[in-house]
Amino acid sequence: MHQYTNTKKAIELSNRFWDVTTEAGLANIVSRNLNDGFHQVISSEKSFLNMSSYSYLGLDSHPDILRAAADAVINTGSLNTSISRIRVQFDILQRAEAALADLVDAQVLTTPSCAAAAAASLPLLASGALTDGIAPVMVFDKNAHFCLNMMKPICADEAEVQTISHNDLNALEDLCKSGRRIAYVADGVYSTGGQAPVRELLQLQHKYGLFLFFDEAHGFSTLGRHGRGLVLETMGEINDRTLIVTSLNKGFGASGGAIFLGRREDRLRHDLATRFGGPITWSQRINTAGLGAIIASAGIHRSALLGQLQAQLQDKVRLFDELIDSESRGDGLPIRFISIGSEENTVLYAKSLFEQGFYTSPIFFPVIAKGRAGLRIMVRANMQDDDIRRFASALNQLKNDHE
Ligand SMILES: *Cc1c(COP(=O)(O)O)cnc(C)c1O
C-alpha cells in the first residue's frame, strides 16, 4: 500500500491550508473577465490582475480564437459526436489534428486535457507497445507533474517503476548502463520553475537508446519555432524514442491536450492510442468549440505574430527579473516561484497582494515539499510594464516588512 500514491496523507497534510486559503478569499473567486488578465470579483466589484495565469502569450482572449470556437459549433451543428471517436468522428477533429501535426511535424492525437494525454499514453509505454514489445523500466523524475505520477500504480502493474531525484542524470545513466530498456518520464518545463536537461537527456538517448517521455504543458507555445516547445526545439525533430504530451488549455489558448506520438507518417501509434488509450476510447474528445479554437490558434502559431508574442514575453520576463529576486531568475522561462517558507506566511503574502489588486497562487504540499511554500507567479506577454513595476514594489515591500 502507498508505494506510489497517498491521497489520505495529502488530505491530512494540506486540506487545512486550503481552508486557510479559502478563508483569506484566495480560492473560489468568482469573477467576470475584463481581458488581458484583469478580472472583476462579482460579489465585491473589486478588480484585480491575475499574476498566476497560464496564458503566457495572452492567447486566451484572442478574438480569432474565440470567433473560430463559436463558428465551429454552429457550422458542425453539434458540440459532440456522442460516440467514441474511433467509431464516428466529425471531420473538424481530423482538421484540428492535422493543423497541430503541421505545427510540430509529428503524429498528433488530441485528448480532452494533458492529464488525459498522460492517462492514455503512459500505460501504453509501460506495456512495451512502443519499445519493441519489451516493457521498459519506467523511471520518473521526483518532480514530474502530478498527472504523470498518478499513473505510477497503473504502470507498475505492467513494468518496473522507479523514481529518481530531480534532474539526476547520473542515476539515470547508471540505470541505462544496466543494459535494460529504460523510459524516463519528466516535465520539459516544470510547473514550479526550472526545466529538464534536454540536451543531456538526448545524449543518453543517443548512447543507450533511452526512451524519453516529456510533459510540455509549459514549454509548448512559449518556446521554439511555431511554439513547438523546449523539447522539440532542442531535438530539431521528433523521433520514435520520444513521446511528448502537452496541454492546449494553457499558453496555446484553446482547449484540451495532445500527444506527439512520433514521426508524422507513423499512423500505427495513433491507432494504438485510440484503441487502447484508456479514457479517450470512450466518449471523451475535445468538443467542436475547442477544435475550432485549436485550428485558429495553430494558424496564429504558424504566423509572424507568434514570434512577436514570444519576444514580448521575454521582455516582460527580463523586466520581472530585474525587479524581483527568485531562484530561477535569468532562465528565460515565464514561471517564477517566490519562496516564502511557512504555509501561513504564504497565504498572508497572497492576501496582502490581493488587497493591492494582484492575484497570486499560494503553492504548498503536495505540489511543493512541506514547509517550502511560496507564490507561483507567471509572467505574460500581455502584461503592462507599469503593472509589473507596481507588483514588484508591492512584493518587495512585503518581503522587507517580514525580514
Ligand atoms: C497544468 C499541467 C498539466 C495538466 O494540464 P491539463 O490540460 O489541465 O490536464 C500537466 N502537466 C503540467 C506540467 C501542468 O502544469
Side-chain angles (χ1 to χ4, degrees), residues 29-32 34 39-48 354:
I29 298 166
V30 181
S31 74
R32 67 175 63 88
L34 303 179
H39 293 249
Q40 185 176 38
V41 182
I42 302 271
S43 55
S44 66
E45 308 253 301
K46 181 184 154 62
S47 66
F48 66 89
F354 195 53

Side-chain angles (χ1 to χ4, degrees), residues 54 113-116 145 147 187 189 191 215 217-218 247-250 256-257 376:
Y54 297 119
S113 66
C114 184
H145 190 260
C147 76
D187 295 7
V189 174
S191 57
D215 176 340
H218 301 282
S247 180
L248 304 174
N249 297 313
K250 297 184 177 175
R376 180 169 60 186

Side-chain angles (χ1 to χ4, degrees), residues 40-319:
Q40 185 176 38
V41 182
I42 302 271
S43 55
S44 66
E45 308 253 301
K46 181 184 154 62
S47 66
F48 66 89
L49 178 60
N50 184 1
M51 298 299 293
S52 298
S53 157
Y54 297 119
S55 189
Y56 302 114
L57 302 178
L59 291 177
D60 57 332
S61 45
H62 195 287
D64 292 359
I65 297 178
L66 301 182
R67 171 50 57 197
D71 286 349
V73 178
I74 300 303
N75 293 340
T76 317
S78 179
L79 201 54
N80 274 315
T81 35
S82 301
I83 181 170
S84 172
R85 61 169 285 165
I86 195 175
R87 303 191 187 277
V88 182
Q89 58 185 262
F90 294 135
D91 74 312
I92 192 171
L93 177 57
Q94 290 203 325
R95 285 190 279 120
E97 289 184 349
L100 288 167
D102 279 347
L103 211 56
V104 296
D105 196 20
Q107 184 65 240
V108 175
L109 178 75
T110 54
T111 57
S113 66
C114 184
S121 55
L122 280 170
L124 274 185
L125 181 56
S127 77
L130 310 180
T131 46
D132 311 315
I134 299 163
V137 181
M138 303 278 289
V139 182
F140 286 72
D141 186 286
K142 188 173 176 297
N143 289 7
H145 190 260
F146 185 70
C147 76
L148 310 178
N149 286 338
M150 71 188 254
M151 298 309 293
K152 282 181 186 173
I154 293 173
C155 292
D157 218 25
E158 300 209 35
E160 184 182 328
V161 169
Q162 293 204 22
T163 304
I164 59 174
S165 318
H166 181 47
N167 285 345
D168 190 346
L169 288 164
N170 290 330
L172 186 59
E173 182 157 16
D174 284 346
L175 284 161
C176 289
K177 280 181 182 158
S178 72
R180 301 168 71 191
R181 256 164 219 270
I182 309 292
Y184 179 58
V185 181
D187 295 7
V189 174
Y190 283 84
S191 57
T192 51
Q195 64 183 61
V198 179
R199 210 168 284 287
E200 290 81 358
L201 289 167
L202 289 167
Q203 281 162 2
L204 292 182
Q205 177 174 74
H206 189 68
K207 198 164 167 195
Y208 301 101
L210 173 67
F211 196 103
L212 293 170
F213 181 106
F214 288 109
D215 176 340
E216 277 275 75
H218 301 282
F220 196 54
S221 298
T222 51
L223 299 169
R225 184 166 59 93
H226 301 327
R228 61 184 171 166
L230 170 70
V231 175
L232 281 178
E233 187 66 10
T234 311
M235 293 180 77
E237 61 181 14
I238 192 94
N239 62 38
D240 56 13
R241 286 217 166 95
T242 306
L243 210 138
I244 297 168
V245 294
T246 190
S247 180
L248 304 174
N249 297 313
K250 297 184 177 175
F252 195 72
S255 189
I259 315 172
F260 307 155
L261 285 156
R263 282 170 300 110
R264 190 153 187 197
E265 58 280 10
D266 185 0
R267 271 296 295 191
L268 216 68
R269 289 181 174 183
H270 197 279
D271 287 342
L272 265 181
T274 52
R275 291 172 191 174
F276 301 100
I280 61 167
T281 63
W282 304 317
S283 72
Q284 287 192 30
R285 83 202 68 65
I286 303 168
N287 66 33
T288 51
L291 294 172
I294 289 169
I295 294 169
S297 180
I300 292 170
H301 277 68
R302 275 194 305 274
S303 76
L305 176 61
L306 197 86
Q308 290 163 22
L309 291 173
Q310 286 178 332
Q312 223 166 299
L313 175 62
Q314 289 301 322
D315 287 346
K316 305 296 173 185
V317 170
R318 265 193 299 276
L319 175 63

Side-chain angles (χ1 to χ4, degrees), residues 6-18 343 364-366 370:
N6 197 336
T7 305
K8 182 164 183 257
K9 183 175 155 203
I11 294 170
E12 280 166 8
L13 286 174
S14 66
N15 204 24
R16 195 171 78 75
F17 295 116
W18 273 116
E343 285 77 3
F364 40 78
F365 185 85
K370 255 194 319 171

